[in-house]
Amino acid sequence: MSESLGPGPGSGPGRGPGPGVPGMTAASAFAGMRRVSPVVFKAGCPDCRGRFELAASALRLAIGATSRTTFYSFTCPECGSAVRKPAGERVVELLTGGGVRTLRLHSTV
């Protein structure tokens, strides 16, 4: 008995199983993916030295024209201090990818 590597008759988008996984439908493939874990970021407060996790909604990212004007900020959940820290390229990438609200700063020149 030989096995076909290509799609069989009647298969394809919306038509049932494709090659390689008999009986697999899009609905059954994604059935376990109904809930997505929220993204959390580890942070620390320079004032009280507290360490904690923050949801993306608790952070703000400001992207400026230079590295000196690019930063993220949050309010410390332990002492209430407003915290502002520099954000390099990698931090900007992680925060934007994690859904942190972003403000783009621009010069008025």
Side-chain angles (χ1 to χ4, degrees), residues 1 4 10 12 23 27 31-32 36 38 49 58 66 70 79-80 82 89 92-93 100 107:
M1 176 174 192
S4 170
V36 176
R49 302 233 184 259
T66 67
T70 300
C79 72
E89 286 183 34
V92 169
E93 191 177 302
V100 171
S107 65

Side-chain angles (χ1 to χ4, degrees), residues 6-73:
S11 66
R15 293 191 209 120
V21 186
M24 179 66 72
T25 65
S28 64
F30 292 104
M33 298 177 66
R34 295 191 195 284
R35 184 182 296 198
V36 176
S37 297
V39 175
V40 293
F41 297 93
K42 291 184 180 184
C45 176
D47 291 342
C48 72
R49 302 233 184 259
R51 310 251 341 131
F52 37 81
E53 292 183 343
L54 296 171
S57 61
L59 294 152
R60 296 294 175 264
L61 174 63
I63 300 176
T66 67
S67 59
R68 293 183 67 190
T69 57
T70 300
F71 60 91
Y72 65 98
S73 62

Side-chain angles (χ1 to χ4, degrees), residues 70-98:
T70 300
F71 60 91
Y72 65 98
S73 62
F74 58 90
T75 300
C76 175
E78 294 182 10
C79 72
S81 290
V83 179
R84 178 175 161 165
K85 295 189 174 188
E89 286 183 34
R90 180 69 178 140
V91 171
V92 169
E93 191 177 302
L94 291 170
L95 293 176
T96 56

